[in-house]
Amino acid sequence: MSSVASTVLTLVLFATYLGIGALAHDSHFSLGWVLGSTLLVWAGPAQIILISTLGSGATAVQAAIAVTVSAIRLFPMVVSVLPLMKTPKTRRSHLVLVTHFIAVTLWVECYRLLPKVPRERRIAFTHGLGCGLVTVCMVATTLGYELAAKLPPLFAAAILLLTPLAFLLSTARNCRQISDVLALVLGLGLFPLVSMLHTGVDILISGVTAGSIAYGVHWWRERARA
Amino acid sequence: MSEFFGSPHALLVLVLAGFLPNEIWRMAGLWFGAGVDEGSEVLVWVRAVATAILAGVIAQILVQPPGALAGVPDGLRYGAVAAGFATFMLTRRSIFAGVVCGEVVLLTGKWWLG
């Protein structure tokens, strides 16, 4: 539990889930629904995408496509973090719950904390860390939901602003290559233009276009260098 | 209890459109992860698209704000986020400082405008 409390990221995570709770309230979802999404989905970006696409009238299929594209990034995280926990005796079934907990925060914290933990205890340690983080975030989700319902509009607006602020800054912080920076900037700029077309899949069109242009620039620069 | 969880249909959508499309990539990592190179070009593209989709959602919340955020004038919303981002850059990428600054600009701006 002390590892949960000590992470600076927990504070940012708490603010993020306050925002998710508030966003769910103002998009007319039930408290049980958004708590279920924190427990089952356990990935901030996917939850924001799910709530805002469904809330703005997209179909379940359109929302599912946007969620699954955003979730592909979990795949390399799982691939890179699991070798830290495996021992020769580890079975795949022992790692299912650990795998569910993996999202950007846990991924970063595993790299920081696991080297201090004896290898045979790392799975149990990660279970504890994951449960602690999920609990903290469920409390934050509930708090954000209730605050959005009861606070005067000024403060409710401030809590809703936590979501775009926290995600913009944490995404900017995670940018490692020119393609990441470009994807962020182009994605921000392209969405307002694409949304004028009212296609119903505006998020997907602007995301795939901006991401592919960003990748194209990365590819072209690598080639020019070679 | 039904009020707490809402309609069964909404929960079904949560599982089908939220839980499964998200979880499938974690489980794919667990089952097929051993042979994939973390730095491969496909994953660079995937990360760029995922980043751009998230950026689009951030833009959507700012341009077409939900609920109480819609009561804040456009210029103040954009100004608060811009101030937060500027602070983030000036404080050697402190997310905490950026978020606090953005919130302070929003609250004082709205209070000042009345």
Side-chain angles (χ1 to χ4, degrees), chain A residues 99-174:
Chain A
T99 305
H100 173 69
F101 283 139
I102 294 173
V104 67
T105 305
L106 197 91
W107 181 63
V108 172
E109 293 304 285
C110 277
Y111 276 106
R112 191 170 69 94
L113 297 170
L114 284 185
K116 298 175 205 159
V117 179
R119 185 167 276 275
E120 62 275 18
R121 294 204 198 128
R122 285 181 184 175
I123 292 177
F125 177 86
T126 313
H127 282 160
L129 184 62
C131 287
L133 286 174
V134 170
T135 308
V136 166
C137 290
M138 301 229 351
V139 170
T141 307
T142 311
L143 208 60
Y145 192 93
E146 295 297 333
L147 287 175
K150 294 187 177 107
L151 282 178
L154 171 59
F155 292 100
I159 292 177
L160 282 170
L161 190 75
L162 282 174
T163 307
L165 260 181
F167 272 95
L168 177 68
L169 301 186
S170 57
T171 310
R173 213 185 140 98
N174 286 338

Side-chain angles (χ1 to χ4, degrees), chain A residues 11-12 23 26-27 30-33 35-37 40-43 45-46 48-50 52-54 56 60 63-64 66-76 78-80 82 92 95-96 99-103 107 153-173 175-177 179-180 183-184 187-188 191-192 195 203-204 206-208 210-212 214-215 218-219, chain B residues 2-7 9-39 41-64 66-72 76-77 80-86 88-89 92-103 106-111:
Chain A
L11 204 60
V12 174
L23 186 67
D26 280 32
S27 309
S30 70
L31 178 58
W33 189 93
L35 283 175
S37 87
L40 292 174
V41 179
W42 184 236
I48 299 286
I49 290 168
L50 184 67
S52 56
T53 51
L54 290 176
S56 64
V67 167
T68 207
V69 175
S70 83
I72 301 175
R73 80 203 143 76
L74 296 172
F75 178 83
V78 170
V79 173
S80 61
L82 286 186
R92 198 174 269 163
L95 293 166
V96 170
T99 305
H100 173 69
F101 283 139
I102 294 173
W107 181 63
L154 171 59
F155 292 100
I159 292 177
L160 282 170
L161 190 75
L162 282 174
T163 307
L165 260 181
F167 272 95
L168 177 68
L169 301 186
S170 57
T171 310
R173 213 185 140 98
C175 284
R176 278 185 282 172
Q177 301 178 348
S179 57
D180 300 329
L184 180 59
L188 282 172
F191 174 78
S195 71
I203 287 283
L204 286 176
S206 75
V208 173
S212 299
Y215 175 75
H218 158 84
W219 181 83
Chain B
S2 68
E3 199 190 328
F4 179 70
F5 279 113
S7 72
H9 177 253
L11 290 179
L12 188 68
V13 170
L14 170 60
V15 171
L16 293 181
F19 175 61
L20 292 177
N22 188 66
E23 198 72 4
I24 190 169
W25 292 105
R26 288 191 176 119
M27 293 306 145
L30 177 59
W31 253 260
F32 310 113
V36 178
D37 176 14
E38 221 196 310
E41 287 294 288
V42 180
L43 291 181
V44 176
W45 179 78
V46 162
R47 208 169 67 228
V49 171
T51 302
I53 286 184
L54 186 59
V57 171
I58 294 168
Q60 184 180 37
I61 295 173
L62 293 174
V63 178
Q64 306 160 358
L69 199 55
V72 177
L76 182 54
R77 268 198 319 272
V81 172
F85 189 78
F88 165 78
M89 293 307 284
R92 286 193 294 168
R93 297 192 171 195
S94 160
I95 297 175
F96 183 74
V99 168
V100 169
C101 174
E103 291 289 343
L106 181 86
L107 285 171
T108 48
K110 190 78 169 72
W111 176 77

Side-chain angles (χ1 to χ4, degrees), chain A residues 7-40:
Chain A
T7 71
V8 183
L9 284 172
T10 307
L11 204 60
V12 174
L13 201 63
F14 194 85
T16 304
Y17 275 88
L18 272 181
I20 287 177
L23 186 67
H25 175 269
D26 280 32
S27 309
H28 312 293
F29 289 96
S30 70
L31 178 58
W33 189 93
V34 65
L35 283 175
S37 87
T38 299
L39 186 66
L40 292 174

